Amino acid sequence: MSSVNYFSEVLPASVAAITTTTATSTCGVRGGATGLARTNTVASARGNIVFALTGNNAVTNTNATSRARLDSEPNVTGTAAATTTTSAAATSLLVNTGNGGMAATSTSASAASFVKVQEEFGFTIFVDVLDSAVSLNGQRRRETRRLLANGVEVPIRSYNYNDKAGEIGRSLSVTLARAYLALLPNNAVWEFQAGIWNGTGYSWLSLLENGKMAGRNRSLSKNDDLTPSDMVEIQIRDGLAEKVTAAPNRPIILYNPDLTEQAPLTDTQNALQDINGAPILPIVEAVAGLDLRTVLNRAYVAGCGFSSVVTNLPNFPVARVEFTLENGYDGGVRNLLALFEPIFDVQNNVLWIIDSDASIPVGTTPADLGINKFVSLNEQIEPKVLYDAMIVSYAERGAGADGEFSTERTETPPSQSANFGTPAYTRTDFVNRFRDFRNVDNPSVVTRSILIEAKKTTYGNGGAVISEEIQRDTYDALARKTGHTRVIKGQVPNLPFRTTSLQTVRSETETIAYAPNPFEAGEFVQSSVTIFEEGLVLIDAENIDPLTDEPQRIPFADARVNFLIVPDSTQTFQTLPIRTVKKQLNALSNGQVNIASEVINHLTNTTERSYSEPVPGSASLGRADKLNQKRVRITTGTNQTRKSASFDGGDLPRTIAVLLGRRNLARLNSPPRTGSVVLPLADFTLRKGVARRLYDRAGAIGNFRIVGLSESGQTTQNGIQTTPTIEIKEAI
Amino acid sequence: MSGVITDANGQEITDNSFQMSDNSESPVFTIYVRALTNYKLTATTDSITTVLARKTGSGAAFQNIAANPIDLTPFANTVVAYDYKVSAADVSVPRNSRAVRFRCTPNP
């Protein structure tokens, strides 16, 4: 079986109005020399309307056209027009013009159209622009430090400054030069600055701003000569550290409706309450196209108050994120970022999230940090375990995924016969119709299949149809069965005559409902099943129901079995409601399920059965996601002889998970060197994320990124002596 | 079809980090772009830094791609080399760290 897959896409402007934009694609399948399409041949095409979903303006005159064609066959054409409500629909029609061509079995064509956010790519340039008055082309200038409280300098004796790896915000511990508490104004705003000599004075660079005093130590003591040796030490946290403690007033749950079912509401009975007893329920918000960029903006810009977020992390779809009262906005994002081990830095109120393992581009050489430029270097390599393969787990989008389309096929299982050669011979034929789901990326592969119609026909001796039964199942977008209709036909007397004909004797309609599992986030439960039956009912005017004084009403099947059908009489048949079966399933917190069932007989207007009982087990049907967990094995060569490492990409899509998996595998086999470097003098050009080329006594040992900074200093007769230390991690 | 910007070794570029003096221009870097129809090279605007670019070997003057994006349509479906550099204006503090996004987009 061969297939052709062709895809073209026009990506128009995202925010401005889009007019007269067309995306077309064509996919053709050629038949053989006879001009007949071969069996199991699929031609599918997709036409897309592509535009941004946020801040979008009206979309007019935009069409997506798709055409699937079987060679020497009539064309199958579908069209789709985008509406101002930004929806697209497509229809496909197979037309036989009677020109002699016949579609071979299992041959179909389909078209699908959908709306998609535009794609943009690029990279981030991080630039440190240095004041030439102080940078002097690499020569060192005199540096100092000062502490300000509400803009007024507070002399210091010593300090320890930290800008730690993996943290947002800096901390400072300072011993004051004079141990006077009066120097500590209430609710002061603290700032710690680096001063660099520019030839005529100091230019000041803020290392910690909008700081608040987090703690204080004070000691009173005397020296041997009885002079006081009092000390006051304060700890200051900067405003950034305060920002990342931001949390919403109510929990916020963002979910991607394309990837997951609506997040469940909290059980109101056991929900967190305020002081007045009112439940604090989460805000649940569907965000179409929810991805990492959107989550970072919601967390750090809207939530924490940064002016923007800049990152070189790859963007990927996010199924769901939760900002809780306990963990706040920052806590809700960290699990998405943990796999990347990013470096956090803040410049001009812009949060930088830097992938510490991003490779340094060819052609870019970090500045040297030669052996003559540092006091000491500590460098280590973690013990390594060699692997030649890694099993990467990732999430693959299932039902409703972009690019998914369906085809239908019919199967005829073998007939079942009984009592061959006797008057009681019967033969039952089966015809099942399936819907197969495929993806345009790989249309020859069926990703999932559902039975949509099952037909069963029973023939008696002589070939007459005794009964026929057709059941059609329905499913929702998450591939959950939502119900079915079943029609049963049988030989029914054509009253008042004795002759019979095949008629519908009973039809059944089932409806299944689902609800969020109140005890398991992300899962759903089958909450109710309702089955409504109607069918042929024998109306016997000669026998009166003593309770209703109306003709007896007996379902056809019961009447037939009990020989109550009398031709040449006043009996008739009517199609009436017969029975309704209702089942309510309630998940209990102890894992049981309570089933409450009620059967209502419509003919007698009575309740046949009604009961409620708990049963063991759970009604949960698993995570209501459209994401399927998949695994892929990546290797380092062609012959694997060692056990495989594993990497859990969680909900990451395949491309991102494999990228991180390869990086992880490379790191396992060649762990990055880490360490610390003590510098002789303060260097204001250093910050987290900056790369430096390190040297040992033999020469260059590689490129390293600064992942953390610390600095200690003390006031001397010659000014403040600083001892900076940088934490480093080898760059790829 | 998604695009990628790579270095000379074909490695995707996710960031470039360097330091430079104010009132000067950075060294020239070369990138390789898979050109797509209607896509343009541009950059986010910044008050201190300006991204300048030109097609490698064209001999053309560097242009401010934030204000005047470069159209990739003439080279669609090919990989094209471009030079870029950063120009920095005057700063009044010892170090002013900026982040600018180099973009390849149909919507500059």
Side-chain angles (χ1 to χ4, degrees), chain A residues 27-41:
Chain A
C27 175
V29 177
R30 293 187 179 277
T34 60
L36 289 174
R38 297 193 178 92
T39 57
N40 300 320
T41 305

Side-chain angles (χ1 to χ4, degrees), chain A residues 117-192:
Chain A
V117 178
Q118 68 164 30
E119 189 170 0
E120 165 180 323
F121 51 97
F123 61 94
T124 304
I125 304 172
F126 298 99
V127 184
D128 295 316
V129 182
L130 308 177
D131 185 354
S132 52
V134 301
S135 62
L136 262 196
N137 296 323
Q139 292 186 24
R140 293 295 179 95
R141 284 280 202 180
R142 190 163 75 227
E143 286 198 33
T144 188
R145 302 287 185 262
R146 69 178 182 183
L147 179 68
L148 303 175
N150 294 332
V152 177
E153 184 170 357
V154 177
I156 59 178
R157 181 186 302 175
S158 63
Y159 69 91
N160 275 295
Y161 168 83
N162 277 291
D163 191 1
K164 291 184 178 177
E167 289 187 11
I168 302 174
R170 295 115 187 185
S171 63
L172 178 70
S173 174
V174 178
T175 301
L176 303 184
R178 285 178 287 169
Y180 295 150
L181 293 182
L183 295 174
L184 307 177
N186 289 331
N187 302 316
V189 176
W190 295 86
E191 186 173 354
F192 187 64

Side-chain angles (χ1 to χ4, degrees), chain B residues 2-18:
Chain B
S2 62
V4 157
I5 298 178
T6 66
D7 60 16
N9 287 349
Q11 188 76 23
E12 181 179 0
I13 299 174
T14 61
D15 76 291
N16 190 8
S17 181
F18 55 88

Side-chain angles (χ1 to χ4, degrees), chain A residues 587-626:
Chain A
L588 301 177
S589 59
N590 58 359
Q592 291 181 305
V593 176
N594 191 73
I595 300 177
S597 179
E598 184 181 32
V599 181
I600 300 170
N601 187 314
H602 296 297
L603 297 180
T604 60
N605 286 324
T606 57
T607 299
E608 285 184 359
R609 274 182 303 157
S610 178
Y611 67 89
S612 174
E613 63 172 351
V615 296
S618 170
S620 172
L621 291 181
R623 189 172 177 76
D625 286 340
K626 300 179 186 181

Side-chain angles (χ1 to χ4, degrees), chain A residues 545-561:
Chain A
D545 184 339
L547 291 178
T548 63
D549 285 333
E550 290 183 1
Q552 287 186 354
R553 300 184 299 176
I554 307 168
F556 167 77
D558 295 336
R560 187 70 185 92
V561 165

Side-chain angles (χ1 to χ4, degrees), chain A residues 317-527:
Chain A
V318 173
R320 167 192 159 125
V321 67
E322 194 166 345
F323 303 129
T324 65
L325 304 184
E326 298 94 337
N327 296 324
Y329 293 105
D330 178 53
V333 175
R334 288 299 184 120
N335 61 327
L336 293 175
L337 304 177
L339 293 175
F340 298 94
E341 298 182 14
I343 300 170
F344 294 93
D345 197 13
V346 179
Q347 300 293 336
N348 304 308
N349 201 36
V350 175
L351 176 62
W352 293 7
I353 304 176
I354 303 169
D355 184 358
S356 62
D357 268 346
S359 59
I360 296 175
V362 168
T364 302
T365 304
D368 288 343
L369 189 58
I371 193 169
N372 59 331
K373 296 182 181 178
F374 56 80
V375 173
S376 64
L377 164 67
N378 283 303
E379 170 225 332
Q380 61 266 352
I381 302 176
E382 292 296 322
K384 62 184 178 184
V385 177
L386 295 178
Y387 291 96
D388 52 20
M390 175 170 277
I391 297 174
V392 178
S393 303
Y394 64 96
E396 184 176 87
R397 298 173 68 181
D402 284 353
E404 185 176 70
F405 67 97
S406 64
T407 59
E408 293 186 0
R409 62 181 164 87
T410 301
E411 281 186 4
T412 53
S415 301
Q416 292 179 357
S417 301
N419 307 315
F420 181 77
T422 72
Y425 169 77
T426 61
R427 188 188 87 241
T428 302
D429 292 345
F430 303 91
V431 179
N432 296 327
R433 198 151 58 90
F434 294 87
R435 180 169 297 144
D436 295 332
F437 291 86
R438 306 165 188 266
N439 194 284
V440 291
D441 293 332
N442 197 356
S444 63
V445 175
V446 175
T447 56
R448 59 189 175 94
S449 186
I450 56 175
L451 174 66
I452 55 176
E453 182 180 284
K455 181 178 178 182
K456 183 172 68 173
T457 308
T458 301
Y459 301 87
N461 196 21
V465 176
I466 296 176
S467 69
E468 181 184 274
E469 186 175 314
I470 300 175
Q471 176 168 325
R472 294 188 177 93
D473 294 339
T474 57
Y475 298 83
D476 64 9
L478 294 180
R480 302 175 302 189
K481 183 177 176 184
T482 54
H484 72 247
T485 58
R486 188 145 63 110
V487 174
I488 302 172
K489 294 183 178 180
Q491 292 293 335
V492 178
N494 299 311
L495 295 177
F497 307 106
R498 298 175 185 274
T499 58
T500 62
S501 60
L502 193 66
Q503 300 180 40
T504 299
V505 298
R506 188 159 65 89
S507 63
E508 177 182 294
T509 303
E510 181 191 56
T511 305
I512 304 172
Y514 301 87
N517 188 334
F519 307 108
E520 289 293 334
E523 294 190 349
F524 55 89
V525 293
Q526 185 173 308
S527 59

Side-chain angles (χ1 to χ4, degrees), chain A residues 11 118-124 293 315, chain B residues 1-6 12-14 31-37 39-43 72 78 101-107:
Chain A
L11 302 176
Q118 68 164 30
E119 189 170 0
E120 165 180 323
F121 51 97
F123 61 94
T124 304
R293 297 273 192 272
N315 197 20
Chain B
M1 181 162 34
S2 62
V4 157
I5 298 178
T6 66
E12 181 179 0
I13 299 174
T14 61
I31 58 173
Y32 297 83
V33 183
R34 184 186 304 166
L36 297 174
T37 304
Y39 271 66
K40 298 176 175 58
L41 290 182
T42 185
L72 298 176
T78 63
R101 181 77 180 164
F102 191 105
R103 304 166 61 208
C104 189
T105 174
N107 178 36

